[in-house]
Amino acid sequence: MEHTKVLRVDSRRPGLGAIRLAADTIRRGGLVAFPTETVYGLGADALNVSAVERLFVAKQRPLDNPPIVHVSGRKDVSKLVKSVPKSAERLMSQFWPGPLTLIFERSEIVPDVTVASLNTVALRMPRNNVALALIKESSCPLAAPSANLAGRPSPTMAEHVLADLDGRIDVILDGGSTMVGVESTVLDLTVNPPQVLRPGGVSFEVLVRAIRDVKLGEFAGGEKVLRDGATRSPGMKYRHYSPNARVIVVEGDIESIKRRVVDLAEAERSIGKRVGILASDETAACYRRFLVKSAGSRSELEEVARNLFRLLREFDAERVDVIVAEGFPTNGLGLAVMNRLRKAAGDGVVRLN
Ligand code: TXA
Ligand code: MG
């Protein structure tokens, strides 16, 4: 396709005209980007093989990394899965609609391409009226990975989708900025105890309160970045969330972080690199000599999560060569933030004390 159509929608009360046009596109096997509460997704009919194939091509996504399938309610689940465990019933009633993706054994109607030939499927019901209206009006579940080119930071605004995918997809429903800013938590219910494969919008602490016996997967914190070999969540082995700039993330106590960030920024600048610093409200003033952006207060990790991907993209737009990022606490949404930053940094993680 040559041209991507952008349709403005009211994210609380989306107009039926735009939703109908987008749903027609989905039913014809096309690709529609839409807002969820976490990040923008790129939707295709999950049961249409050629539509899902087109999705992988548009994103340049490796075929062994399956997308999440989005549903508009618990009633859509039973036909997509083998069985619904008791724990899933409880989690769906507590967290859906919302940023919790559950892994089930899949049923026969889910095509191989949609699940990368795994015998499981990832399902979630988003908490966004545009997303829900689109799924309902399309009358099919939507396979929807984040609407970015593979490897790039996930899009939290329609402008980010357009920057990556203009001319590669049919329609973008522009419902403004997303609320949560990092992707959903992925929880595998096919293992005992259930395992968090990707930390996200529902914090680990909240999950533990809900089901007690739950483990944080080996790669979920992002301390270990798996470069090859098999892993339970196929997406975890790829370099992710990366701006064009190299990322260095500095972790430790805040006074040591501040000193090391300045040292690193000076060193990069002295060899002619354009440096950006990703800081917090509490520390931004320490870096006035540099291009600095605050992700928010260190005690408001939800705010940091909301801003993270947008700021990484802003540094790129300002042609920064190196981003030196402060590490954030890993409680609450901080774990998802640090998982994304560590993956963006790859080997560039500096741990102090
Ligand atoms: O918040 C979100 O989850 C966003 C919005 C659009 O809903 N979607 C999203 O999708 O982040 P994506 O495709 O970018 O990430 C899906 C993650 C990947 O890490 C993938 O490997 C994992 O879910 N996944 C998908 N199916 C799986 C399965 N059957 N078993 C294990 N992991 C799976
Ligand atoms: Mg993604």
Side-chain angles (χ1 to χ4, degrees):
M1 75 223 46
E2 320 249 286
H3 193 67
T4 297
K5 198 177 288 176
V6 181
L7 303 173
R8 285 286 188 104
V9 285
D10 180 336
S11 60
R12 256 157 291 167
R13 304 178 86 248
L16 205 53
I19 296 295
R20 283 208 173 124
L21 195 150
D24 278 343
T25 305
I26 294 284
R27 277 195 300 263
R28 283 200 303 263
L31 304 179
V32 175
F34 60 94
T36 78
E37 79 280 34
T38 58
V39 300
Y40 275 73
L42 179 61
D45 178 349
L47 306 181
N48 177 334
V49 172
S50 58
V52 177
E53 283 171 352
R54 216 167 288 142
L55 188 66
F56 280 93
V57 172
K59 271 190 61 106
Q60 299 175 344
R61 179 168 170 123
L63 278 163
D64 65 353
N65 186 12
I68 291 167
V69 175
H70 294 63
V71 298
S72 65
R74 287 159 65 182
K75 61 184 185 326
D76 300 343
V77 170
S78 54
K79 62 173 186 283
L80 299 170
V81 306
K82 278 237 166 71
S83 64
V84 180
K86 271 245 159 56
S87 58
E89 292 285 5
R90 225 151 17 94
L91 288 165
M92 288 188 292
S93 61
Q94 190 171 346
F95 293 102
W96 283 14
L100 181 66
T101 294
L102 301 174
I103 309 284
F104 296 86
E105 311 251 338
R106 66 141 156 162
S107 75
E108 301 301 323
I109 71 159
V110 185
D112 279 347
V113 63
T114 303
V115 293
S117 299
L118 297 173
N119 49 22
T120 53
V121 62
L123 299 181
R124 101 170 183 97
M125 177 186 180
R127 191 175 59 227
N128 177 292
N129 288 344
V130 178
L132 292 171
L134 178 65
I135 302 165
K136 281 193 193 125
E137 192 67 23
S138 304
S139 323
C140 60
L142 294 187
S146 48
N148 50 284
L149 282 174
R152 300 269 306 144
S154 295
T156 58
M157 301 168 70
E159 289 79 357
H160 303 160
V161 181
L162 204 58
D164 279 14
L165 299 174
D166 191 14
R168 305 178 68 86
I169 64 176
D170 300 288
V171 175
I172 300 174
L173 293 172
D174 178 357
S177 292
T178 60
M179 297 299 297
V180 179
V182 291
E183 302 87 341
S184 61
T185 300
V186 178
L187 180 66
D188 189 351
L189 295 174
T190 68
V191 292
N192 200 358
Q195 213 180 35
V196 173
L197 301 180
R198 177 180 74 181
V202 173
S203 74
F204 187 66
E205 292 89 331
V206 166
L207 268 186
V208 168
R209 243 175 279 140
I211 49 175
R212 281 223 168 84
D213 198 15
V214 52
K215 262 183 28 196
L216 198 56
E218 198 182 354
F219 301 98
E223 293 87 348
K224 289 191 182 181
V225 179
L226 201 67
R227 296 193 187 286
D228 48 28
T231 166
R232 292 202 65 83
S233 194
M236 297 309 226
K237 72 178 178 226
Y238 296 104
R239 189 170 143 87
H240 258 158
Y241 316 115
S242 307
N244 297 322
R246 184 154 59 87
V247 177
I248 304 173
V249 52
V250 183
E251 302 182 30
D253 70 83
I254 192 60
E255 290 309 316
S256 316
I257 290 178
K258 283 196 286 194
R259 279 194 300 272
R260 183 62 68 89
V261 166
V262 169
D263 288 350
L264 285 165
E266 298 276 16
E268 294 288 345
R269 189 153 74 179
S270 73
I271 55 169
K273 301 288 186 207
R274 203 169 146 72
V275 181
I277 296 180
L278 182 68
S280 49
D281 291 352
E282 289 83 353
T283 57
C286 310
Y287 312 120
R288 269 190 305 249
R289 312 197 295 288
F290 302 93
L291 170 63
V292 55
K293 296 179 190 292
S294 172
S297 166
R298 302 182 70 81
S299 59
E300 298 287 339
L301 295 167
E302 293 177 3
E303 184 190 0
V304 173
R306 192 176 309 130
N307 290 324
L308 177 70
F309 287 137
R310 176 176 53 80
L311 295 179
L312 293 180
R313 282 179 181 263
E314 282 181 19
F315 280 124
D316 273 351
E318 294 173 57
R319 308 231 165 274
V320 159
D321 301 303
V322 185
I323 299 168
V324 184
E326 292 182 346
F328 287 88
T330 54
N331 59 297
L333 285 205
L335 185 65
V337 167
M338 288 310 294
N339 169 276
R340 308 311 188 262
L341 272 179
R342 286 164 178 162
K343 281 179 195 293
D347 294 329
V349 179
V350 177
R351 286 208 174 80
L352 305 171
N353 48 60

